[in-house]
Amino acid sequence: MSVQTLSREQAAGKVMVALDYPDAASAEKLLAALEGIPCYMKVGMQLFYAAGPDFVRSLKQRGYKVFLDVKMHDIPNTVKGGANSVTRLGVDMFNVHAAGGRDMMEAAMDGVDEALDADSTLARPTVIAVTQLTSTSLEMLNDEIGILGTMEEAVKRYALLAIASGLDGVVASPHEVTLVKDFCGPTFQTVTPGIRPAGVDIGDQSRVMTPSEALQAGTDYMVIGRPITKAADPRAAIESIIEELIKP
Ligand code: C5P
Protein backbone atom coordinates (compact mmCIF):
# COMPACT_ATOMS: atom_id res chain seq x y z
CA MET A 1 0.00 0.00 0.00
CA SER A 2 1.50 3.37 -1.00
CA VAL A 3 1.82 5.97 1.74
CA GLN A 4 -0.69 8.79 1.47
CA THR A 5 0.36 12.42 1.69
CA LEU A 6 -1.93 14.16 4.15
CA SER A 7 -2.56 17.79 5.02
CA ARG A 8 -2.52 18.66 8.74
CA GLU A 9 -6.33 18.78 8.73
CA GLN A 10 -6.64 15.39 6.99
CA ALA A 11 -4.17 13.85 9.42
CA ALA A 12 -6.02 15.28 12.44
CA GLY A 13 -9.32 14.00 11.01
CA LYS A 14 -7.98 10.44 11.00
CA VAL A 15 -7.28 10.55 14.73
CA MET A 16 -10.24 9.54 16.90
CA VAL A 17 -9.54 10.55 20.48
CA ALA A 18 -11.12 8.03 22.85
CA LEU A 19 -12.84 10.14 25.52
CA ASP A 20 -12.84 7.33 28.09
CA TYR A 21 -13.93 9.44 31.06
CA PRO A 22 -16.51 8.96 33.82
CA ASP A 23 -18.23 12.32 33.36
CA ALA A 24 -18.40 15.44 31.20
CA ALA A 25 -16.28 17.55 33.59
CA SER A 26 -13.29 15.18 33.26
CA ALA A 27 -13.64 15.09 29.47
CA GLU A 28 -13.83 18.91 29.35
CA LYS A 29 -10.31 19.18 30.78
CA LEU A 30 -8.94 17.23 27.82
CA LEU A 31 -11.14 19.18 25.37
CA ALA A 32 -9.68 22.43 26.72
CA ALA A 33 -6.15 21.10 26.15
CA LEU A 34 -6.97 20.01 22.57
CA GLU A 35 -8.99 23.09 21.59
CA GLY A 36 -8.73 23.97 17.90
CA ILE A 37 -7.34 20.60 16.75
CA PRO A 38 -9.80 19.17 14.17
CA CYS A 39 -9.65 15.56 15.40
CA TYR A 40 -12.56 13.11 15.63
CA MET A 41 -13.94 12.52 19.15
CA LYS A 42 -14.97 9.02 20.22
CA VAL A 43 -17.61 8.81 22.92
CA GLY A 44 -17.94 5.32 24.38
CA MET A 45 -20.47 3.83 26.74
CA GLN A 46 -18.77 5.05 29.92
CA LEU A 47 -19.10 8.74 29.01
CA PHE A 48 -22.36 8.41 27.04
CA TYR A 49 -24.18 6.67 29.90
CA ALA A 50 -22.96 9.41 32.28
CA ALA A 51 -23.16 12.56 30.16
CA GLY A 52 -25.71 11.53 27.53
CA PRO A 53 -26.93 13.16 24.34
CA ASP A 54 -26.31 16.68 25.67
CA PHE A 55 -22.58 16.05 25.76
CA VAL A 56 -22.63 14.76 22.17
CA ARG A 57 -24.62 17.84 21.09
CA SER A 58 -22.06 20.08 22.74
CA LEU A 59 -19.22 18.36 20.84
CA LYS A 60 -21.16 18.85 17.60
CA GLN A 61 -21.73 22.53 18.43
CA ARG A 62 -17.96 22.92 18.82
CA GLY A 63 -17.49 21.50 15.30
CA TYR A 64 -16.15 18.05 16.18
CA LYS A 65 -16.97 14.90 14.28
CA VAL A 66 -18.29 12.33 16.74
CA PHE A 67 -18.01 8.54 16.73
CA LEU A 68 -20.55 7.12 19.17
CA ASP A 69 -18.95 3.82 20.18
CA VAL A 70 -21.89 2.10 21.90
CA LYS A 71 -21.68 -1.23 20.02
CA MET A 72 -25.42 -1.90 19.66
CA HIS A 73 -26.44 -5.57 19.88
CA ASP A 74 -30.12 -6.41 20.45
CA ILE A 75 -33.19 -7.63 18.55
CA PRO A 76 -33.55 -5.91 15.15
CA ASN A 77 -36.47 -3.70 16.17
CA THR A 78 -34.59 -2.32 19.17
CA VAL A 79 -31.40 -1.68 17.21
CA LYS A 80 -33.45 0.03 14.50
CA GLY A 81 -34.80 2.40 17.18
CA GLY A 82 -31.32 2.97 18.61
CA ALA A 83 -29.87 3.72 15.18
CA ASN A 84 -32.76 6.12 14.51
CA SER A 85 -32.13 7.98 17.78
CA VAL A 86 -28.38 8.40 17.29
CA THR A 87 -28.89 9.55 13.68
CA ARG A 88 -31.30 12.21 14.93
CA LEU A 89 -28.71 13.15 17.57
CA GLY A 90 -26.34 13.95 14.70
CA VAL A 91 -23.43 11.57 15.31
CA ASP A 92 -21.06 11.11 12.36
CA MET A 93 -20.36 7.44 13.07
CA PHE A 94 -21.74 4.68 15.29
CA ASN A 95 -21.31 0.94 15.55
CA VAL A 96 -23.20 -2.32 16.00
CA HIS A 97 -21.99 -5.88 16.70
CA ALA A 98 -21.87 -8.01 13.55
CA ALA A 99 -22.70 -10.93 15.89
CA GLY A 100 -26.27 -9.57 15.93
CA GLY A 101 -26.64 -10.94 12.40
CA ARG A 102 -27.80 -9.66 9.06
CA ASP A 103 -31.39 -8.81 10.05
CA MET A 104 -30.12 -6.72 12.94
CA MET A 105 -27.57 -4.84 10.83
CA GLU A 106 -30.15 -4.21 8.08
CA ALA A 107 -32.56 -2.94 10.74
CA ALA A 108 -29.86 -0.49 11.90
CA MET A 109 -29.61 0.85 8.34
CA ASP A 110 -33.45 1.11 8.18
CA GLY A 111 -33.38 3.14 11.39
CA VAL A 112 -30.84 5.50 9.84
CA ASP A 113 -32.88 5.83 6.62
CA GLU A 114 -36.10 6.58 8.46
CA ALA A 115 -34.40 9.37 10.42
CA LEU A 116 -33.00 10.87 7.20
CA ASP A 117 -36.38 10.61 5.45
CA ALA A 118 -38.01 12.47 8.33
CA ASP A 119 -35.41 15.28 8.48
CA SER A 120 -33.52 16.26 5.33
CA THR A 121 -31.09 18.45 7.30
CA LEU A 122 -29.48 15.36 8.88
CA ALA A 123 -26.29 13.87 7.47
CA ARG A 124 -26.03 10.10 7.04
CA PRO A 125 -23.77 8.63 9.72
CA THR A 126 -21.13 6.05 8.84
CA VAL A 127 -22.20 2.70 10.30
CA ILE A 128 -19.45 0.33 11.39
CA ALA A 129 -19.58 -3.28 12.57
CA VAL A 130 -17.59 -4.78 15.40
CA THR A 131 -16.21 -8.11 14.15
CA GLN A 132 -14.26 -9.58 17.07
CA LEU A 133 -13.22 -7.48 20.04
CA THR A 134 -9.45 -7.10 20.24
CA SER A 135 -9.70 -8.43 23.82
CA THR A 136 -11.03 -11.78 22.52
CA SER A 137 -8.33 -14.45 22.30
CA LEU A 138 -8.52 -17.44 19.96
CA GLU A 139 -9.13 -19.67 22.98
CA MET A 140 -12.10 -17.53 24.07
CA LEU A 141 -13.46 -17.45 20.53
CA ASN A 142 -13.31 -21.25 20.18
CA ASP A 143 -14.03 -22.47 23.73
CA GLU A 144 -16.25 -19.77 25.30
CA ILE A 145 -18.06 -18.08 22.40
CA GLY A 146 -18.20 -21.33 20.41
CA ILE A 147 -16.99 -19.99 17.06
CA LEU A 148 -14.63 -22.56 15.55
CA GLY A 149 -11.75 -21.79 13.18
CA THR A 150 -9.16 -19.04 13.20
CA MET A 151 -9.58 -15.40 14.25
CA GLU A 152 -8.98 -14.33 10.62
CA GLU A 153 -11.84 -16.59 9.43
CA ALA A 154 -14.17 -15.19 12.07
CA VAL A 155 -13.26 -11.57 11.20
CA LYS A 156 -13.65 -12.26 7.48
CA ARG A 157 -17.09 -13.88 7.90
CA TYR A 158 -18.41 -10.94 9.96
CA ALA A 159 -16.85 -8.30 7.68
CA LEU A 160 -18.49 -9.89 4.63
CA LEU A 161 -21.81 -10.09 6.50
CA ALA A 162 -21.48 -6.40 7.40
CA ILE A 163 -20.86 -5.37 3.80
CA ALA A 164 -23.76 -7.56 2.60
CA SER A 165 -25.99 -5.83 5.19
CA GLY A 166 -25.15 -2.39 3.78
CA LEU A 167 -22.71 -1.22 6.45
CA ASP A 168 -19.76 1.03 5.69
CA GLY A 169 -16.90 -0.65 7.47
CA VAL A 170 -15.57 -2.46 10.50
CA VAL A 171 -13.63 -1.90 13.69
CA ALA A 172 -10.51 -4.03 13.35
CA SER A 173 -7.01 -4.52 14.62
CA PRO A 174 -4.53 -2.58 12.46
CA HIS A 175 -3.05 -6.01 11.67
CA GLU A 176 -6.36 -6.99 9.99
CA VAL A 177 -6.69 -3.94 7.72
CA THR A 178 -5.00 -5.52 4.70
CA LEU A 179 -7.12 -8.66 5.09
CA VAL A 180 -10.37 -6.65 5.36
CA LYS A 181 -9.52 -4.38 2.40
CA ASP A 182 -8.54 -7.43 0.32
CA PHE A 183 -11.90 -9.15 0.63
CA CYS A 184 -14.27 -6.20 1.18
CA GLY A 185 -12.68 -3.68 -1.21
CA PRO A 186 -10.64 -0.52 -0.65
CA THR A 187 -13.62 1.75 0.10
CA PHE A 188 -14.89 -0.44 2.96
CA GLN A 189 -13.71 1.56 5.96
CA THR A 190 -11.48 0.38 8.77
CA VAL A 191 -11.41 1.93 12.23
CA THR A 192 -8.48 0.65 14.26
CA PRO A 193 -7.74 0.81 17.98
CA GLY A 194 -4.45 -0.64 19.28
CA ILE A 195 -2.34 2.31 18.15
CA ARG A 196 0.76 3.21 20.12
CA PRO A 197 3.37 5.81 19.06
CA ALA A 198 6.91 4.47 19.39
CA GLY A 199 8.10 4.47 23.01
CA VAL A 200 4.59 4.81 24.54
CA ASP A 201 3.30 2.24 27.08
CA ILE A 202 1.28 -0.53 25.37
CA GLY A 203 -1.03 -0.97 28.41
CA ASP A 204 -3.60 -3.76 27.94
CA GLN A 205 -3.51 -3.69 24.12
CA SER A 206 -1.70 -6.68 22.67
CA ARG A 207 -1.08 -6.34 18.94
CA VAL A 208 -0.24 -2.69 18.36
CA MET A 209 1.03 -0.54 15.50
CA THR A 210 2.46 2.97 15.45
CA PRO A 211 0.34 5.68 13.77
CA SER A 212 2.56 5.71 10.67
CA GLU A 213 2.52 1.90 10.40
CA ALA A 214 -1.29 1.91 10.67
CA LEU A 215 -1.50 4.61 7.99
CA GLN A 216 0.78 2.58 5.77
CA ALA A 217 -1.43 -0.49 6.34
CA GLY A 218 -4.34 1.55 4.93
CA THR A 219 -6.42 2.26 8.02
CA ASP A 220 -9.05 4.97 7.54
CA TYR A 221 -9.35 6.07 11.19
CA MET A 222 -7.22 5.32 14.22
CA VAL A 223 -8.72 5.26 17.70
CA ILE A 224 -6.20 6.56 20.23
CA GLY A 225 -6.95 6.88 23.91
CA ARG A 226 -4.35 6.72 26.65
CA PRO A 227 -1.34 7.82 24.55
CA ILE A 228 -3.19 11.19 24.39
CA THR A 229 -5.48 11.25 27.44
CA LYS A 230 -2.85 10.06 29.93
CA ALA A 231 0.05 12.02 28.44
CA ALA A 232 1.68 14.67 30.62
CA ASP A 233 0.98 17.10 27.76
CA PRO A 234 -2.00 15.79 25.70
CA ARG A 235 -1.76 18.59 23.15
CA ALA A 236 1.92 17.85 22.47
CA ALA A 237 1.05 14.12 22.25
CA ILE A 238 -1.62 14.58 19.56
CA GLU A 239 0.47 17.16 17.69
CA SER A 240 3.30 14.66 17.53
CA ILE A 241 0.94 11.94 16.21
CA ILE A 242 -0.41 14.35 13.56
CA GLU A 243 3.16 15.25 12.60
CA GLU A 244 4.00 11.54 12.27
CA LEU A 245 1.01 11.07 9.91
CA ILE A 246 1.97 14.05 7.76
CA LYS A 247 5.54 12.76 7.45
CA PRO A 248 5.25 8.99 7.86
O1 C5P B 1 -6.34 3.85 25.45
P1 C5P B 1 -6.41 3.10 24.15
O2 C5P B 1 -5.70 3.77 23.01
O3 C5P B 1 -6.01 1.63 24.29
O4 C5P B 1 -7.97 3.14 23.81
C1 C5P B 1 -8.54 2.36 22.80
C2 C5P B 1 -9.99 2.68 22.67
O5 C5P B 1 -10.51 1.85 21.63
C3 C5P B 1 -10.83 2.41 23.90
O6 C5P B 1 -11.87 3.39 23.92
C4 C5P B 1 -11.42 1.05 23.64
O7 C5P B 1 -12.68 0.89 24.25
C5 C5P B 1 -11.57 1.06 22.13
N1 C5P B 1 -11.58 -0.24 21.50
C6 C5P B 1 -10.53 -1.14 21.59
N2 C5P B 1 -10.61 -2.36 20.97
C7 C5P B 1 -11.70 -2.68 20.25
C8 C5P B 1 -12.77 -1.78 20.14
C9 C5P B 1 -12.67 -0.55 20.78
O8 C5P B 1 -9.52 -0.85 22.22
N3 C5P B 1 -11.75 -3.83 19.62
Side-chain angles (χ1 to χ4, degrees):
M1 173 100 33
S2 63
V3 184
Q4 311 159 52
T5 308
L6 300 176
S7 67
R8 179 165 294 276
E9 184 144 8
Q10 285 170 326
K14 279 186 173 284
V15 177
M16 296 179 147
V17 179
L19 296 175
D20 292 326
Y21 291 105
D23 49 50
S26 321
E28 286 297 346
K29 286 187 196 147
L30 182 79
L31 292 170
L34 303 189
E35 198 179 343
I37 298 175
C39 51
Y40 228 109
M41 292 296 175
K42 183 177 89 74
V43 178
M45 60 178 87
Q46 182 187 22
L47 184 56
F48 191 62
Y49 293 164
D54 282 347
F55 183 77
V56 172
R57 281 188 204 101
S58 99
L59 287 176
K60 290 303 302 170
Q61 276 156 12
R62 284 178 259 188
Y64 287 113
K65 288 203 162 185
V66 177
F67 170 22
L68 190 64
D69 179 18
V70 290
K71 301 183 178 68
M72 297 179 196
H73 188 178
D74 209 315
I75 60 171
N77 189 54
T78 300
V79 169
K80 179 180 174 185
N84 187 277
S85 292
V86 301
T87 303
R88 286 187 287 115
L89 179 57
V91 303
D92 301 275
M93 181 183 286
F94 71 93
N95 54 5
V96 303
H97 270 283
R102 186 172 180 145
D103 283 355
M104 191 207 77
M105 287 192 276
E106 286 180 352
M109 301 316 290
D110 288 345
V112 169
D113 289 343
E114 284 186 14
L116 300 182
D117 287 347
D119 181 351
S120 62
T121 66
L122 292 170
R124 183 189 178 287
T126 299
V127 188
I128 297 287
V130 177
T131 54
Q132 292 299 333
L133 296 172
T134 47
S135 54
T136 303
S137 66
L138 183 61
E139 194 181 25
M140 285 164 66
L141 184 78
N142 295 161
D143 300 343
E144 294 180 17
I145 303 172
I147 295 176
L148 303 180
T150 65
M151 186 63 74
E152 286 71 25
E153 285 163 349
V155 168
K156 178 177 176 181
R157 193 179 316 117
Y158 277 168
L160 288 172
L161 190 64
I163 203 168
S165 308
L167 271 69
D168 304 298
V170 287
V171 182
S173 154
H175 294 271
E176 290 156 1
V177 169
T178 310
L179 185 83
V180 169
K181 296 273 184 188
D182 278 354
F183 49 73
C184 294
T187 59
F188 195 61
Q189 297 185 42
T190 50
V191 176
T192 61
I195 307 290
R196 289 292 178 270
V200 170
D201 185 23
I202 287 179
D204 55 2
Q205 295 285 5
S206 51
R207 296 190 307 135
V208 299
M209 275 195 192
T210 64
S212 56
E213 285 168 347
L215 184 69
Q216 194 142 12
T219 189
D220 296 283
Y221 297 99
M222 41 193 96
V223 175
I224 310 180
R226 286 160 293 181
I228 297 169
T229 58
K230 301 280 188 215
D233 183 345
R235 190 176 189 93
I238 194 169
E239 290 286 14
S240 139
I241 290 166
I242 292 168
E243 204 57 41
E244 181 178 333
L245 295 178
I246 295 170
K247 298 176 194 140

